[in-house]
Amino acid sequence: MRLVLDTNVLISASLWSASVSQKMLSKLILQNAEVYSSLEILSEFQKVLKRDFNYSESEVTVITEKLFSFLLIANPTEKIVVVTEDPDDDKILECALAVQASHIVSYDRHLLKIKEFRGIKILKPDELQL
């Protein structure tokens, strides 16, 4: 299984140990699933930790370094314009396309509304069949 986790799922999995996202991520790691992100997604992740959760730069660094223990980094090259309501979400689709992901896991309503993009299923963590 090859997946891309949206920023909101990474936040939930990183900050709340009993969250659905954290439990899903633990199962994915145990199953040796390929979990991808991009530098653009990780940059947004870091920005949200600082802005919305008041984490310091050093705390953000520690949390991000933990992600590198299981995340594979993609280098998207194709730029797309799909999510017109929230163009920032296109980076998730671009990452998934770059790695030929089977799934995008997200809580984002704009992405979830798409349901599937170029054969990539888009669903919530509790909908992922593991």
Side-chain angles (χ1 to χ4, degrees):
M1 186 176 287
R2 187 175 289 181
L3 307 101
V4 172
L5 305 183
D6 193 357
T7 306
N8 51 42
V9 173
L10 285 172
I11 293 284
S12 178
S14 299
L15 301 185
W16 297 290
S17 61
S19 70
V20 172
S21 295
Q22 194 279 327
K23 291 174 186 173
M24 175 206 64
L25 181 57
S26 294
K27 287 179 185 177
L28 289 171
I29 292 168
L30 288 173
Q31 293 178 8
N32 292 317
E34 295 177 32
V35 182
Y36 286 88
S37 192
S38 68
L39 295 179
E40 195 175 359
I41 295 168
L42 291 173
S43 176
E44 179 181 60
F45 171 81
Q46 293 171 326
K47 186 170 94 176
V48 170
L49 286 178
K50 292 177 202 169
R51 182 192 67 212
D52 297 349
F53 298 96
N54 296 314
Y55 279 92
S56 69
E57 188 69 40
S58 62
E59 290 170 320
V60 169
T61 299
V62 168
I63 293 169
T64 304
E65 285 174 355
K66 287 180 184 177
L67 296 180
F68 285 120
S69 68
F70 63 85
L71 279 180
L72 300 166
I73 302 301
N75 186 18
T77 55
E78 182 181 355
K79 287 291 184 190
I80 59 172
V81 178
V82 174
V83 189
T84 54
E85 296 169 323
D86 188 0
D88 275 353
D89 291 339
D90 285 335
K91 69 177 155 288
I92 306 298
L93 298 172
E94 293 165 356
C95 182
L97 287 173
V99 301
Q100 300 175 333
S102 57
H103 297 84
I104 292 171
V105 184
S106 179
Y107 286 116
D108 186 281
R109 63 183 170 88
H110 302 113
L111 289 172
L112 291 168
K113 188 165 65 170
I114 296 170
K115 296 184 182 172
E116 188 171 321
F117 180 72
R118 295 190 196 172
I120 303 165
K121 292 177 176 49
I122 304 170
L123 37 77
K124 294 178 187 175
D126 60 336
E127 298 171 330
L128 185 65
Q129 300 292 317
L130 296 173

